[in-house]
Amino acid sequence: MITTAITTASLGHIIIAAIADAIGTNLRSLFTLQVTIYMYKLIMAEYNIQRDIINPIDKYLAGSITENEIEWYDWNWALYSLRKADYWGVRNAMTPYYRRFLMADKAFFRNGNTDTHLKNALLKSIEKEGRYAGRIFNDIDIVKCVEEWAMQMMADNHEPRYFFMLIQEILKRDYKPDWNAVYEELKKKLANARNFGNFKTHEMYCLLMGITMIERTALSREKKDELVMLMRRHWQFIKYMYSVLIHYIVGLKVENFAAVANSVCKKSSYPFMHWFYKAFNENFDALCPEGLIDTHSGKSVREQALAHKKKMEDIIKSTKPSPDLDELFAILFPKVIKDVMKQARPKTYEELEADIDDLTNRYNKVLSQLTNAVKDVENDKISPEDLMAAFLRLPTELALSYFGTMSILLALNPTWQKYAPQIQEQILNKQKEQQERKELKQDKVIDSMQKAANKPTIDKFYNTGTYNDNSGAIFTPAITSNDKEQQKLIDENND
């Protein structure tokens, strides 16, 4: 039947095109219109929206037939042909099913992850819709939608792949709910993650929060689509980040954060491990408190997590960090981005080598300046006192290091031989003075601690906040100026 339609249409087009060439180009548009009308009539006679498109979907969703009983090749060809002939008729007929798909109608998930034909067919159909087709979803509560998706996903613990693909397609077609309202609602739900929901519900909240953060930026539509795709590709890693930051395990059916840390230590996460390490390290005490025991192994969660942290450090040291997620994470986690990349993480070998090269260059630069200063003394450009002052401005250990190096380099230089003993003496005197000041501070701290030991102990402190000296007299403790001075000395010594 389909072959007959194509053959008849092609023959009609060839005949009319030949007549148009014979009559002249001025009548070509008229004959083209006639061909279009002819094709429309032919298709509409061959296919019927209700019979060929809607009825099979309704029967499947009602449970009357299985997906395998639908001839999907014929169904897709009928949809394609009908859309060519009557775009708006097809659009209006398909819209209710698009909306039910977004709202996670349980009929679409009756067989869990095994039924994919209808989902794929609807996604392909949405791809063929116009530029503003996404607006048909604007009135739907998208937060409620992700909650429904989570319920359906819990049945067989499958990933939110279809939701990602669906939201991507409608975003490209001008889907614009009130993103600020969505953000505020999600923020409240994630703040109370410990009090309700489950690991799939909070995974969907986090997923939608990420999309919301991207959509609230002033980036172009093309750039937003690129970032959503990046988020989809790396969602397995990103949900680890969300878990640590909201202190609730999302998208993983594990019981503690040691298991999360173990899960993240896989090859695909290596280039981004510096991100997770930073977030995990900052939240470590809250996520892995002392005394928490793994119910399966009977071991300390904290000790297991520390072992996984050590593995992360080894991964970071041996793996070059990838910048692929930097731009995305600057949007998803704006408060974390400022110090994740360069602070509180072990440096890689490449970074350590760069640091060593930098320190070597800086050391050699100062060495060159001091060597030239000796020549300037020799040529009466600066005084010997200026040379000595240059050494004394340096930290003592560094000054002695430069002195030793220059004593080798300038061993035969008469100017250096003349002033080197004085320079060395002044550096050593400075070192001695610093040591004496340090010892004096330590003595004061020890003296203060001994005086404090003679004061009433905490055993004499009542719940009322008063001391009893066992003589019957009750007095309230006060912080004296001497106490403040002792504390100041202790703080200085600690510094």
Side-chain angles (χ1 to χ4, degrees), residues 384-417:
E385 289 75 17
D386 292 333
L387 176 62
M388 295 177 191
F391 276 92
L392 295 178
R393 282 195 296 270
L394 297 169
T396 308
E397 291 77 9
L398 190 58
L400 288 172
S401 174
Y402 279 119
F403 179 84
T405 303
M406 291 178 67
S407 295
I408 297 172
L409 295 176
L410 302 177
L412 302 179
N413 185 291
T415 303
W416 178 253
Q417 291 175 347

Side-chain angles (χ1 to χ4, degrees), residues 16 115 134 149-150 192 242 254 277 284 367:
I16 294 176
D115 285 0
W149 273 85
N192 295 298
Y242 273 115
V254 297
Y277 180 87
F284 188 78
L367 180 64

Side-chain angles (χ1 to χ4, degrees), residues 83-226:
R83 180 178 273 118
K84 285 287 187 182
D86 185 11
Y87 170 82
W88 286 106
V90 172
R91 163 83 167 269
N92 293 333
M94 295 298 292
T95 293
Y97 301 96
Y98 298 156
R99 290 169 63 88
R100 288 174 66 183
F101 189 22
L102 179 62
M103 293 186 286
D105 187 320
K106 63 182 180 181
F108 285 87
F109 302 88
R110 186 174 58 253
N111 295 319
N113 235 4
T114 58
D115 285 0
T116 59
H117 290 298
L118 179 57
K119 299 184 186 80
N120 290 333
L122 290 176
L123 286 170
K124 182 176 284 188
S125 181
I126 294 173
E127 287 179 13
K128 304 300 181 183
E129 297 292 357
R131 180 179 176 184
Y132 302 108
R135 295 178 181 180
I136 63 176
F137 304 99
N138 283 352
D139 63 313
I140 297 176
D141 184 344
I142 190 63
V143 177
K144 180 65 175 174
C145 287
V146 297
E147 292 172 347
E148 293 297 323
W149 273 85
M151 288 180 61
Q152 306 307 329
M153 290 161 57
M154 279 293 290
D156 56 1
N157 192 28
H158 65 269
E159 296 298 322
R161 182 169 65 96
Y162 275 106
F163 179 82
F164 255 126
M165 292 191 290
L166 177 57
I167 199 73
Q168 282 180 280
E169 291 305 324
I170 65 177
L171 285 171
K172 293 175 183 177
R173 286 157 183 82
D174 208 42
Y175 171 57
K176 291 181 181 178
D178 185 345
W179 290 115
N180 290 330
V182 173
Y183 172 78
E184 293 299 328
E185 185 174 358
L186 288 173
K187 192 164 65 170
K188 292 176 184 177
K189 290 183 179 295
L190 290 174
N192 295 298
R194 290 176 173 270
N195 301 325
F196 71 96
N198 55 60
F199 71 102
K200 277 297 179 186
T201 301
H202 294 299
E203 177 180 7
M204 294 305 294
Y205 285 153
C206 291
L207 190 159
L208 183 58
M209 176 60 91
I211 291 172
T212 301
M213 297 293 283
I214 293 171
E215 291 301 313
R216 292 173 77 224
T217 66
L219 299 172
S220 68
R221 180 70 263 157
E222 291 76 13
K223 186 62 179 178
K224 289 178 181 179
D225 292 340
E226 178 186 324

